[in-house]
Every structure is written in C-alpha cells, then in structure tokens.
Coordinates of all heavy atoms in Angstrom, one line a residue:
M58 N 56.7 40.0 -54.2 CA 55.6 39.6 -55.0 C 54.3 39.8 -54.1 O 54.4 39.5 -52.9 CB 55.7 38.2 -55.5 CG 56.8 37.9 -56.4 SD 56.5 38.3 -58.1 CE 54.9 37.6 -58.5
R59 N 53.3 40.2 -54.7 CA 52.0 40.3 -54.0 C 50.9 39.8 -54.9 O 50.9 39.9 -56.1 CB 51.7 41.8 -53.8 CG 52.7 42.6 -53.0 CD 52.2 43.9 -52.6 NE 51.3 43.8 -51.5 CZ 50.4 44.6 -51.1 NH1 50.3 45.8 -51.7 NH2 49.7 44.4 -50.0
R60 N 49.9 39.2 -54.3 CA 48.7 38.7 -55.0 C 47.5 39.1 -54.1 O 47.4 38.7 -52.9 CB 48.7 37.3 -55.2 CG 47.4 36.8 -55.9 CD 47.4 35.3 -56.3 NE 48.5 35.1 -57.3 CZ 48.9 33.9 -57.6 NH1 48.4 32.8 -57.0 NH2 49.8 33.7 -58.5
Q61 N 46.5 39.8 -54.7 CA 45.3 40.1 -54.0 C 44.4 38.9 -53.9 O 44.2 38.2 -54.9 CB 44.5 41.2 -54.6 CG 43.4 41.7 -53.8 CD 42.7 43.0 -54.4 OE1 43.2 43.5 -55.4 NE2 41.7 43.5 -53.8
T62 N 44.0 38.5 -52.7 CA 43.2 37.3 -52.5 C 41.7 37.5 -52.2 O 40.9 36.6 -52.4 CB 43.8 36.4 -51.4 OG1 43.8 37.1 -50.2 CG2 45.2 35.9 -51.8
A63 N 41.4 38.7 -51.8 CA 40.0 39.1 -51.6 C 39.8 40.6 -51.8 O 40.8 41.4 -51.6 CB 39.6 38.7 -50.1
V64 N 38.6 41.0 -52.2 CA 38.4 42.4 -52.5 C 37.8 43.1 -51.3 O 38.2 44.2 -51.0 CB 37.4 42.5 -53.7 CG1 37.0 43.9 -54.0 CG2 38.0 41.8 -55.0
S65 N 36.9 42.4 -50.6 CA 36.3 43.1 -49.4 C 36.1 42.1 -48.3 O 35.3 41.2 -48.4 CB 34.9 43.7 -49.8 OG 34.4 44.4 -48.7
P66 N 36.9 42.1 -47.2 CA 38.0 43.1 -47.0 C 39.2 42.8 -47.9 O 39.4 41.6 -48.2 CB 38.4 43.0 -45.6 CG 38.0 41.5 -45.3 CD 36.8 41.2 -46.1
Q67 N 39.9 43.8 -48.3 CA 41.0 43.6 -49.2 C 42.2 42.9 -48.5 O 42.6 43.4 -47.4 CB 41.5 45.0 -49.7 CG 42.5 44.9 -50.8 CD 42.9 46.2 -51.3 OE1 43.2 47.1 -50.6 NE2 42.8 46.4 -52.6
T68 N 42.5 41.7 -49.0 CA 43.6 41.0 -48.4 C 44.6 40.6 -49.4 O 44.3 40.4 -50.6 CB 43.1 39.7 -47.6 OG1 42.4 38.9 -48.5 CG2 42.2 40.1 -46.5
W69 N 45.9 40.4 -49.0 CA 47.0 40.1 -49.9 C 47.8 39.0 -49.4 O 48.0 38.8 -48.2 CB 47.9 41.3 -50.1 CG 47.2 42.5 -50.7 CD1 46.4 43.4 -50.1 CD2 47.3 42.9 -52.1 NE1 46.0 44.4 -50.9 CE2 46.5 44.1 -52.2 CE3 47.9 42.4 -53.2 CZ2 46.3 44.7 -53.4 CZ3 47.8 43.1 -54.4 CH2 47.0 44.2 -54.5
V70 N 48.4 38.2 -50.3 CA 49.5 37.3 -50.0 C 50.8 38.0 -50.4 O 50.9 38.5 -51.6 CB 49.4 36.0 -50.8 CG1 50.6 35.1 -50.6 CG2 48.2 35.2 -50.3
N71 N 51.7 38.2 -49.5 CA 53.0 38.8 -49.8 C 54.2 37.9 -49.7 O 54.1 37.0 -48.8 CB 53.2 40.0 -48.9 CG 52.2 41.1 -49.0 OD1 51.9 41.5 -50.1 ND2 51.6 41.5 -47.9
A72 N 55.2 38.0 -50.5 CA 56.4 37.2 -50.4 C 57.6 38.1 -50.7 O 57.6 38.7 -51.8 CB 56.3 36.0 -51.4
V73 N 58.5 38.1 -49.8 CA 59.7 38.9 -50.0 C 60.7 37.9 -50.5 O 61.2 37.0 -49.8 CB 60.2 39.6 -48.6 CG1 61.5 40.3 -48.9 CG2 59.1 40.5 -48.1
V74 N 61.1 38.1 -51.8 CA 62.0 37.2 -52.4 C 63.0 38.0 -53.3 O 62.7 39.1 -53.8 CB 61.3 36.2 -53.3 CG1 60.5 35.2 -52.5 CG2 60.5 36.8 -54.4
P75 N 64.2 37.5 -53.5 CA 65.2 38.2 -54.4 C 64.7 38.0 -55.8 O 64.1 36.9 -56.2 CB 66.5 37.5 -54.2 CG 66.1 36.1 -53.6 CD 64.8 36.3 -52.9
A76 N 64.9 39.0 -56.7 CA 64.6 38.9 -58.1 C 65.5 39.8 -58.9 O 66.1 40.8 -58.3 CB 63.1 39.4 -58.3
C77 N 65.6 39.5 -60.1 CA 66.3 40.4 -61.1 C 65.3 41.2 -61.8 O 64.3 40.6 -62.4 CB 67.1 39.5 -62.0 SG 68.0 40.5 -63.3
V78 N 65.4 42.5 -61.7 CA 64.4 43.4 -62.4 C 65.2 44.4 -63.3 O 66.1 45.0 -62.9 CB 63.6 44.2 -61.4 CG1 62.6 45.1 -62.1 CG2 62.9 43.3 -60.4
R79 N 64.8 44.4 -64.6 CA 65.5 45.3 -65.5 C 64.5 45.8 -66.5 O 63.5 45.1 -66.9 CB 66.6 44.6 -66.2 CG 66.2 43.6 -67.3 CD 67.3 43.1 -68.2 NE 66.8 42.3 -69.2 CZ 66.4 42.7 -70.4 NH1 66.5 44.0 -70.7 NH2 66.0 41.9 -71.4
Q80 N 64.7 47.0 -67.0 CA 63.8 47.6 -68.0 C 64.2 47.1 -69.4 O 65.4 46.9 -69.6 CB 63.9 49.1 -68.0 CG 62.8 49.8 -68.7 CD 62.6 51.3 -68.2 OE1 63.6 51.8 -67.7 NE2 61.5 51.8 -68.5
Y81 N 63.2 46.8 -70.2 CA 63.5 46.3 -71.6 C 64.2 47.4 -72.3 O 63.8 48.6 -72.2 CB 62.2 45.9 -72.3 CG 61.6 44.6 -71.8 CD1 60.5 44.6 -71.0 CD2 62.1 43.4 -72.2 CE1 59.9 43.4 -70.5 CE2 61.6 42.2 -71.8 CZ 60.5 42.2 -70.9 OH 59.9 41.0 -70.5
G82 N 65.1 47.0 -73.2 CA 65.8 48.0 -74.1 C 64.9 48.3 -75.3 O 64.0 47.6 -75.6
A83 N 65.4 49.3 -76.1 CA 64.6 49.7 -77.2 C 64.5 48.6 -78.3 O 63.4 48.5 -78.9 CB 65.3 50.9 -77.9
A84 N 65.5 47.8 -78.4 CA 65.4 46.7 -79.4 C 64.5 45.6 -79.1 O 64.1 44.8 -79.9 CB 66.8 46.1 -79.6
E85 N 64.0 45.6 -77.8 CA 63.1 44.5 -77.3 C 61.7 44.9 -77.4 O 60.8 44.2 -77.0 CB 63.5 44.1 -75.9 CG 64.9 43.6 -75.8 CD 65.4 43.4 -74.3 OE1 65.6 44.4 -73.6 OE2 65.5 42.3 -73.9
L86 N 61.4 46.1 -77.8 CA 60.0 46.6 -77.8 C 59.3 46.1 -79.0 O 59.0 46.8 -80.0 CB 60.0 48.2 -77.8 CG 60.7 48.8 -76.7 CD1 60.6 50.4 -76.8 CD2 60.2 48.4 -75.3
V87 N 58.9 44.8 -78.9 CA 58.1 44.1 -80.0 C 56.9 43.4 -79.4 O 56.9 43.2 -78.2 CB 59.0 43.1 -80.7 CG1 60.1 43.8 -81.5 CG2 59.6 42.1 -79.8
G88 N 55.9 43.1 -80.2 CA 54.8 42.4 -79.7 C 54.1 43.2 -78.6 O 53.8 44.4 -78.8
G89 N 53.8 42.6 -77.5 CA 53.1 43.3 -76.4 C 54.0 44.0 -75.4 O 53.6 44.5 -74.4
I90 N 55.3 44.1 -75.7 CA 56.3 44.8 -74.8 C 56.3 46.3 -75.2 O 56.5 46.6 -76.3 CB 57.7 44.2 -74.9 CG1 57.7 42.7 -74.5 CG2 58.7 45.0 -74.0 CD1 59.0 42.0 -74.7
L91 N 56.0 47.1 -74.2 CA 55.9 48.6 -74.4 C 57.1 49.2 -73.7 O 57.7 48.7 -72.7 CB 54.6 49.1 -73.8 CG 53.3 48.5 -74.4 CD1 52.1 49.1 -73.6 CD2 53.2 48.7 -75.8
Q92 N 57.4 50.5 -74.2 CA 58.4 51.3 -73.5 C 58.0 51.4 -72.0 O 56.9 51.8 -71.7 CB 58.6 52.6 -74.2 CG 59.7 53.5 -73.6 CD 59.9 54.7 -74.4 OE1 59.2 55.0 -75.4 NE2 60.8 55.6 -74.0
G93 N 59.0 51.2 -71.1 CA 58.7 51.3 -69.7 C 58.4 50.0 -69.0 O 58.3 49.9 -67.8
D94 N 58.2 48.9 -69.8 CA 57.9 47.6 -69.2 C 59.2 47.1 -68.7 O 60.3 47.5 -69.1 CB 57.4 46.6 -70.3 CG 56.0 46.8 -70.6 OD1 55.3 47.7 -70.0 OD2 55.4 46.0 -71.5
F95 N 59.1 46.1 -67.7 CA 60.2 45.5 -67.1 C 60.2 44.0 -67.2 O 59.1 43.4 -67.3 CB 60.2 45.8 -65.6 CG 60.5 47.3 -65.3 CD1 59.5 48.2 -65.3 CD2 61.8 47.6 -64.9 CE1 59.8 49.5 -65.0 CE2 62.0 49.0 -64.6 CZ 61.0 49.9 -64.6
E96 N 61.4 43.4 -67.2 CA 61.5 42.0 -67.2 C 61.9 41.6 -65.7 O 62.8 42.3 -65.1 CB 62.6 41.5 -68.1 CG 62.8 39.9 -68.0 CD 63.9 39.5 -68.9 OE1 65.0 40.0 -68.8 OE2 63.7 38.5 -69.7
V97 N 61.1 40.7 -65.1 CA 61.3 40.3 -63.7 C 61.6 38.8 -63.8 O 60.9 38.0 -64.3 CB 60.1 40.6 -62.9 CG1 60.3 40.1 -61.4 CG2 59.7 42.1 -62.9
I98 N 62.8 38.4 -63.2 CA 63.2 37.0 -63.1 C 63.2 36.6 -61.7 O 63.9 37.3 -60.9 CB 64.5 36.8 -63.8 CG1 64.5 37.3 -65.2 CG2 64.9 35.3 -63.7 CD1 65.9 37.3 -65.9
V99 N 62.5 35.6 -61.3 CA 62.4 35.1 -60.0 C 62.4 33.5 -60.0 O 61.8 32.9 -60.8 CB 61.2 35.7 -59.2 CG1 59.9 35.2 -59.8 CG2 61.3 35.4 -57.7
A100 N 63.1 33.0 -59.0 CA 63.2 31.5 -58.9 C 61.9 30.9 -58.4 O 61.4 31.4 -57.4 CB 64.4 31.1 -58.0
H101 N 61.5 29.8 -58.9 CA 60.3 29.1 -58.4 C 60.5 28.7 -57.0 O 59.6 28.9 -56.1 CB 60.1 27.8 -59.3 CG 59.1 26.9 -58.8 ND1 57.8 27.0 -59.1 CD2 59.1 25.9 -57.9 CE1 57.0 26.1 -58.5 NE2 57.8 25.4 -57.7
S102 N 61.7 28.2 -56.6 CA 62.0 27.8 -55.3 C 61.9 28.9 -54.3 O 61.4 28.7 -53.1 CB 63.4 27.1 -55.1 OG 64.4 28.0 -55.5
A103 N 62.3 30.1 -54.6 CA 62.2 31.3 -53.7 C 60.7 31.6 -53.4 O 60.4 31.9 -52.3 CB 62.9 32.5 -54.3
L104 N 59.9 31.6 -54.5 CA 58.5 31.9 -54.3 C 57.8 30.8 -53.4 O 57.1 31.1 -52.5 CB 57.8 32.0 -55.6 CG 58.1 33.2 -56.4 CD1 57.4 33.1 -57.8 CD2 57.6 34.5 -55.7
A105 N 58.1 29.5 -53.7 CA 57.5 28.4 -53.0 C 57.9 28.4 -51.5 O 57.1 28.3 -50.6 CB 57.9 27.1 -53.7
E106 N 59.2 28.7 -51.3 CA 59.7 28.7 -49.9 C 59.1 29.9 -49.1 O 58.9 29.8 -47.9 CB 61.2 28.8 -49.9 CG 61.9 27.5 -50.3 CD 63.4 27.6 -50.5 OE1 64.0 28.6 -50.0 OE2 64.0 26.7 -51.1
A107 N 58.8 31.0 -49.8 CA 58.2 32.1 -49.1 C 56.7 32.0 -48.9 O 56.0 32.9 -48.4 CB 58.5 33.4 -49.9
G108 N 56.1 30.9 -49.5 CA 54.7 30.7 -49.3 C 53.8 31.4 -50.3 O 52.6 31.5 -50.2
F109 N 54.4 31.8 -51.4 CA 53.6 32.5 -52.5 C 53.0 31.4 -53.4 O 53.7 30.5 -53.8 CB 54.5 33.4 -53.3 CG 53.7 34.3 -54.2 CD1 53.2 35.5 -53.7 CD2 53.6 34.1 -55.5 CE1 52.5 36.4 -54.5 CE2 52.8 34.9 -56.4 CZ 52.3 36.1 -55.9
P110 N 51.7 31.6 -53.7 CA 51.1 30.6 -54.6 C 51.6 30.6 -56.0 O 51.4 31.6 -56.7 CB 49.6 30.9 -54.5 CG 49.6 32.4 -54.1 CD 50.8 32.6 -53.3
V111 N 52.4 29.6 -56.3 CA 53.0 29.5 -57.7 C 52.1 28.7 -58.6 O 51.3 27.9 -58.1 CB 54.4 28.9 -57.6 CG1 55.4 29.8 -57.0 CG2 54.4 27.5 -56.9
P112 N 52.1 29.0 -59.9 CA 53.0 30.0 -60.5 C 52.4 31.4 -60.5 O 51.2 31.6 -60.2 CB 52.9 29.5 -62.0 CG 51.6 28.9 -62.2 CD 51.3 28.2 -60.8
P113 N 53.2 32.4 -60.7 CA 52.7 33.8 -60.8 C 51.7 33.8 -61.9 O 51.7 33.0 -62.9 CB 53.9 34.6 -61.2 CG 55.1 33.8 -60.8 CD 54.7 32.3 -61.0
K114 N 50.8 34.8 -61.8 CA 49.7 35.0 -62.9 C 49.6 36.4 -63.2 O 50.0 37.3 -62.5 CB 48.4 34.3 -62.4 CG 47.8 35.0 -61.2 CD 46.5 34.2 -60.8 CE 45.8 34.9 -59.6 NZ 44.6 34.2 -59.3
D115 N 48.9 36.7 -64.3 CA 48.6 38.0 -64.7 C 47.9 38.8 -63.6 O 47.0 38.2 -62.9 CB 47.7 38.1 -66.0 CG 48.4 37.7 -67.2 OD1 49.6 37.7 -67.3 OD2 47.7 37.3 -68.2
G116 N 48.3 40.0 -63.3 CA 47.6 40.8 -62.3 C 48.4 40.7 -60.9 O 48.1 41.5 -60.1
D117 N 49.3 39.7 -60.8 CA 50.1 39.7 -59.6 C 50.9 41.0 -59.6 O 51.1 41.7 -60.6 CB 51.0 38.5 -59.5 CG 50.3 37.2 -59.1 OD1 49.1 37.3 -58.7 OD2 50.9 36.2 -59.3
R118 N 51.5 41.4 -58.4 CA 52.3 42.6 -58.3 C 53.7 42.3 -58.0 O 54.0 41.4 -57.2 CB 51.7 43.5 -57.3 CG 50.2 43.8 -57.4 CD 49.9 44.7 -58.5 NE 48.5 44.9 -58.8 CZ 47.7 45.7 -58.1 NH1 48.2 46.5 -57.2 NH2 46.4 45.8 -58.4
V119 N 54.6 43.1 -58.5 CA 56.0 43.0 -58.2 C 56.3 44.4 -57.6 O 56.0 45.4 -58.2 CB 56.9 42.8 -59.4 CG1 58.4 42.9 -59.1 CG2 56.6 41.4 -60.0
V120 N 56.9 44.5 -56.4 CA 57.3 45.7 -55.8 C 58.8 45.9 -55.9 O 59.5 45.2 -55.2 CB 56.7 45.9 -54.4 CG1 57.1 47.2 -53.8 CG2 55.2 45.6 -54.4
R121 N 59.2 46.9 -56.7 CA 60.7 47.2 -56.7 C 61.0 48.1 -55.6 O 60.3 49.0 -55.2 CB 61.0 48.0 -58.0 CG 60.8 47.2 -59.3 CD 61.0 48.0 -60.5 NE 62.3 48.7 -60.5 CZ 62.5 49.9 -60.9 NH1 61.5 50.7 -61.3 NH2 63.7 50.5 -60.8
N122 N 62.2 47.8 -55.0 CA 62.7 48.6 -53.8 C 61.6 48.8 -52.7 O 61.3 49.9 -52.3 CB 63.1 50.0 -54.3 CG 64.2 49.9 -55.4 OD1 65.1 49.1 -55.3 ND2 64.1 50.7 -56.4
P123 N 61.1 47.6 -52.3 CA 60.0 47.7 -51.3 C 60.6 48.1 -49.9 O 61.8 48.1 -49.7 CB 59.5 46.3 -51.2 CG 60.8 45.5 -51.5 CD 61.5 46.3 -52.6
T124 N 59.7 48.6 -49.1 CA 60.0 48.9 -47.7 C 59.8 47.6 -46.9 O 58.7 47.0 -46.9 CB 59.1 50.0 -47.1 OG1 59.3 51.2 -47.9 CG2 59.4 50.3 -45.7
I125 N 60.8 47.1 -46.3 CA 60.8 45.9 -45.5 C 61.2 46.2 -44.1 O 62.2 46.8 -43.8 CB 61.8 44.8 -46.1 CG1 61.6 44.6 -47.6 CG2 61.8 43.5 -45.3 CD1 60.3 43.9 -48.0
V126 N 60.3 45.7 -43.1 CA 60.6 45.9 -41.7 C 60.5 44.5 -41.0 O 59.4 43.9 -41.2 CB 59.6 46.9 -41.1 CG1 59.8 47.0 -39.6 CG2 59.7 48.3 -41.7
D127 N 61.5 44.1 -40.4 CA 61.6 42.8 -39.7 C 61.2 41.7 -40.7 O 60.5 40.7 -40.3 CB 60.6 42.8 -38.5 CG 61.1 43.7 -37.4 OD1 62.3 44.0 -37.2 OD2 60.2 44.3 -36.7
G128 N 61.7 41.8 -41.9 CA 61.5 40.8 -42.9 C 60.1 40.8 -43.6 O 59.8 39.9 -44.4
E129 N 59.3 41.7 -43.2 CA 57.9 41.8 -43.8 C 57.7 43.0 -44.7 O 58.3 44.1 -44.4 CB 56.9 41.8 -42.6 CG 56.9 40.6 -41.8 CD 56.4 39.3 -42.5 OE1 55.5 39.5 -43.3 OE2 56.9 38.3 -42.2
F130 N 56.9 42.9 -45.7 CA 56.6 43.9 -46.6 C 55.7 45.0 -45.9 O 54.8 44.6 -45.3 CB 55.9 43.4 -47.9 CG 55.4 44.4 -48.8 CD1 56.2 45.2 -49.6 CD2 54.0 44.6 -48.9 CE1 55.7 46.1 -50.4 CE2 53.5 45.6 -49.7 CZ 54.3 46.3 -50.5
V131 N 56.0 46.2 -46.1 CA 55.2 47.3 -45.6 C 54.5 48.0 -46.8 O 55.2 48.6 -47.6 CB 56.1 48.3 -44.8 CG1 55.2 49.5 -44.3 CG2 56.8 47.7 -43.7
P132 N 53.2 47.9 -46.9 CA 52.5 48.5 -48.0 C 52.7 50.0 -48.0 O 52.9 50.7 -47.0 CB 51.0 48.2 -47.7 CG 51.0 47.0 -46.9 CD 52.3 47.1 -46.0
G133 N 52.8 50.6 -49.2 CA 53.0 52.0 -49.4 C 54.4 52.4 -49.8 O 54.7 53.5 -50.1
G134 N 55.3 51.4 -49.7 CA 56.7 51.7 -50.1 C 57.1 51.0 -51.4 O 56.5 50.1 -51.8
G135 N 58.1 51.6 -52.1 CA 58.5 51.0 -53.3 C 57.7 51.4 -54.5 O 56.8 52.2 -54.4
V136 N 58.0 50.7 -55.6 CA 57.3 51.0 -56.9 C 56.6 49.7 -57.3 O 57.3 48.7 -57.5 CB 58.3 51.5 -57.9 CG1 57.7 51.7 -59.3 CG2 59.0 52.7 -57.5
T137 N 55.3 49.8 -57.6 CA 54.6 48.6 -57.9 C 54.5 48.4 -59.4 O 54.2 49.3 -60.2 CB 53.1 48.7 -57.4 OG1 53.2 48.7 -56.0 CG2 52.3 47.4 -57.8
L138 N 54.8 47.2 -59.9 CA 54.6 46.8 -61.3 C 53.6 45.7 -61.3 O 53.5 44.9 -60.4 CB 55.9 46.2 -61.8 CG 57.2 47.1 -61.7 CD1 58.4 46.3 -62.2 CD2 57.0 48.4 -62.5
T139 N 52.7 45.7 -62.3 CA 51.7 44.6 -62.5 C 52.2 43.6 -63.5 O 52.5 44.0 -64.6 CB 50.4 45.3 -62.9 OG1 50.0 46.2 -61.9 CG2 49.3 44.2 -63.0
V140 N 52.1 42.4 -63.2 CA 52.5 41.3 -64.1 C 51.5 41.3 -65.3 O 50.3 41.2 -65.1 CB 52.6 39.9 -63.4 CG1 52.8 38.8 -64.4 CG2 53.6 40.0 -62.3
K141 N 52.1 41.4 -66.5 CA 51.3 41.3 -67.7 C 51.4 40.0 -68.4 O 50.6 39.6 -69.2 CB 51.7 42.4 -68.7 CG 51.4 43.8 -68.2 CD 49.9 44.0 -68.0 CE 49.5 45.4 -67.5 NZ 48.1 45.5 -67.2
H142 N 52.5 39.3 -68.2 CA 52.8 38.0 -68.8 C 53.7 37.3 -67.8 O 54.9 37.6 -67.7 CB 53.4 38.1 -70.2 CG 53.6 36.8 -70.9 ND1 54.4 35.8 -70.4 CD2 53.1 36.3 -72.0 CE1 54.3 34.8 -71.2 NE2 53.5 35.1 -72.2
P143 N 53.2 36.2 -67.1 CA 53.9 35.6 -66.1 C 55.1 34.7 -66.6 O 56.0 34.5 -65.9 CB 52.9 34.8 -65.3 CG 51.8 34.6 -66.3 CD 51.8 35.8 -67.2
G144 N 55.0 34.2 -67.9 CA 56.0 33.4 -68.4 C 56.5 32.3 -67.5 O 56.1 32.1 -66.4
D145 N 57.4 31.5 -68.0 CA 58.1 30.5 -67.2 C 59.2 29.9 -68.0 O 59.2 30.0 -69.2 CB 57.1 29.4 -66.7 CG 56.8 28.3 -67.7 OD1 57.7 27.5 -67.9 OD2 55.7 28.4 -68.3
R146 N 60.2 29.4 -67.3 CA 61.3 28.7 -68.0 C 61.5 27.4 -67.3 O 62.2 27.4 -66.2 CB 62.6 29.6 -67.9 CG 62.5 30.9 -68.7 CD 62.4 30.6 -70.2 NE 62.4 31.8 -71.0 CZ 61.4 32.6 -71.3 NH1 60.2 32.3 -70.9 NH2 61.5 33.6 -72.0
G147 N 61.0 26.4 -67.8 CA 61.1 25.1 -67.2 C 60.3 24.8 -66.0 O 60.6 23.9 -65.2
G148 N 59.2 25.6 -65.7 CA 58.3 25.3 -64.6 C 58.9 25.4 -63.3 O 58.9 26.5 -62.7
A149 N 59.6 24.4 -62.8 CA 60.2 24.4 -61.5 C 61.4 25.2 -61.3 O 62.0 25.3 -60.3 CB 60.4 23.0 -61.0
I150 N 62.0 25.7 -62.4 CA 63.2 26.5 -62.4 C 62.9 28.0 -62.0 O 63.5 28.5 -61.0 CB 64.0 26.5 -63.7 CG1 64.4 25.0 -64.0 CG2 65.1 27.4 -63.7 CD1 65.0 24.8 -65.3
G151 N 62.0 28.6 -62.7 CA 61.7 30.0 -62.4 C 60.8 30.6 -63.4 O 60.3 30.0 -64.3
Y152 N 60.7 31.9 -63.3 CA 59.7 32.7 -64.1 C 60.4 33.9 -64.7 O 61.0 34.7 -63.9 CB 58.5 33.0 -63.3 CG 57.9 31.8 -62.6 CD1 58.2 31.5 -61.3 CD2 57.0 31.0 -63.4 CE1 57.7 30.3 -60.8 CE2 56.5 29.8 -62.8 CZ 56.8 29.5 -61.5 OH 56.4 28.4 -60.9
W153 N 60.2 34.2 -66.0 CA 60.7 35.4 -66.6 C 59.4 36.1 -67.0 O 58.7 35.8 -67.9 CB 61.4 35.0 -67.9 CG 62.8 34.7 -67.8 CD1 63.8 35.4 -68.4 CD2 63.4 33.5 -67.2 NE1 65.0 34.8 -68.1 CE2 64.8 33.6 -67.4 CE3 62.9 32.4 -66.5 CZ2 65.7 32.7 -66.9 CZ3 63.8 31.5 -66.0 CH2 65.2 31.6 -66.2
M154 N 59.1 37.1 -66.1 CA 57.8 37.8 -66.2 C 58.0 39.2 -66.9 O 58.9 39.9 -66.7 CB 57.2 38.0 -64.8 CG 56.9 36.7 -64.1 SD 56.3 37.0 -62.4 CE 57.8 37.3 -61.6
Q155 N 56.9 39.6 -67.6 CA 56.8 40.9 -68.1 C 55.9 41.7 -67.2 O 54.9 41.2 -66.8 CB 56.2 40.9 -69.5 CG 56.0 42.3 -70.1 CD 55.2 42.3 -71.4 OE1 55.1 41.2 -72.0 NE2 54.7 43.4 -71.9
A156 N 56.4 42.9 -66.7 CA 55.6 43.7 -65.8 C 55.6 45.1 -66.2 O 56.5 45.6 -66.9 CB 56.2 43.5 -64.4
R157 N 54.5 45.8 -65.8 CA 54.3 47.2 -66.2 C 53.8 48.0 -65.1 O 53.1 47.5 -64.2 CB 53.2 47.2 -67.4 CG 52.8 48.5 -67.9 CD 51.9 48.3 -69.1 NE 52.6 47.6 -70.2 CZ 52.0 46.8 -71.1 NH1 50.7 46.7 -71.1 NH2 52.7 46.2 -72.0
G158 N 54.1 49.3 -65.1 CA 53.6 50.1 -64.0 C 54.6 51.1 -63.5 O 55.5 51.5 -64.2
G159 N 54.4 51.5 -62.3 CA 55.3 52.5 -61.7 C 54.6 53.2 -60.5 O 55.1 54.2 -60.0
G160 N 53.5 52.7 -60.1 CA 52.8 53.3 -59.0 C 53.4 52.9 -57.6 O 54.2 52.0 -57.5
V161 N 53.0 53.6 -56.6 CA 53.6 53.3 -55.3 C 53.0 52.0 -54.8 O 51.8 51.7 -55.0 CB 53.2 54.5 -54.3 CG1 53.6 54.2 -52.9 CG2 53.9 55.8 -54.8
G162 N 53.8 51.2 -54.1 CA 53.4 49.9 -53.6 C 52.4 50.0 -52.5 O 51.8 49.1 -52.1

C-alpha cells in the first residue's frame, strides 16, 4: 500500500503487507465497478503494524507484484492500482477495497 503525503517534494508512506487481490468477474460489473477493476482485501492489523495510516482512503495505491528489497518497497516495480472505494468490513477487521489501474508502480 502507498499513500502520497506531500506533493513537493513528493513523499510517500509505504507499507509492505499481504493482501488478496482478484479481478472482478463479469457478473460483478454493476454500479461503479468497471471491467478491469480489482478487489483488494487487506487486514486492518497488517496495515496498522506496518505503520500505514488507517483506514485506507480513495487515491491510495495498491501495488501488485511489487519489487521488494530487504523488506522495503522499490518504486518502479509491480503494477499500481488506485483505490476507488476503500470499503471496510467491521472496521478493525479489514478492508475490502475496489481498485483500478494497471500502471507501473
């Protein structure tokens, strides 16, 4: 997960956490869900322990298949998705997020 915290100079908060990422199926393309969108499920505790400011919010980034060196995220690797709906399931349990994109991390 990534969140931009300043524009100039550009700074980010990064958290390397396990997540379940899957593309929505054809039958799920309703409302604001578009073809190519992903569902991202991540535990609240994983984000909090990694120091990520919870809860996730619109505009945060999820990087699929990121490049990790010595436990740290390396910008430029993986595929970046932008959170469009941060969702939540029980607050302290976790987040079922809708994400969109496909650009390089």
Side-chain angles (χ1 to χ4, degrees):
M58 295 280 309
R59 303 188 79 200
R60 179 177 294 166
Q61 188 172 359
T62 56
V64 176
S65 183
Q67 190 176 51
T68 57
W69 297 81
V70 172
N71 296 311
V73 179
V74 296
C77 177
V78 180
R79 72 170 189 89
Q80 197 161 18
Y81 287 103
E85 298 172 289
L86 303 180
V87 296
I90 299 174
L91 302 177
Q92 184 173 358
D94 282 0
F95 290 82
E96 179 180 52
V97 180
I98 303 170
V99 65
H101 173 90
S102 59
L104 289 173
E106 288 170 16
F109 193 81
V111 289
K114 62 182 185 178
D115 287 341
D117 284 348
R118 309 288 173 86
V119 174
V120 182
R121 295 177 51 224
N122 303 316
T124 301
I125 307 293
V126 176
D127 296 327
E129 295 294 323
F130 172 73
V131 177
V136 177
T137 299
L138 305 174
T139 302
V140 174
K141 294 296 180 189
H142 185 295
D145 78 78
R146 296 293 186 271
I150 295 172
Y152 306 95
W153 275 246
M154 299 177 277
Q155 176 187 347
R157 180 174 297 154
V161 176

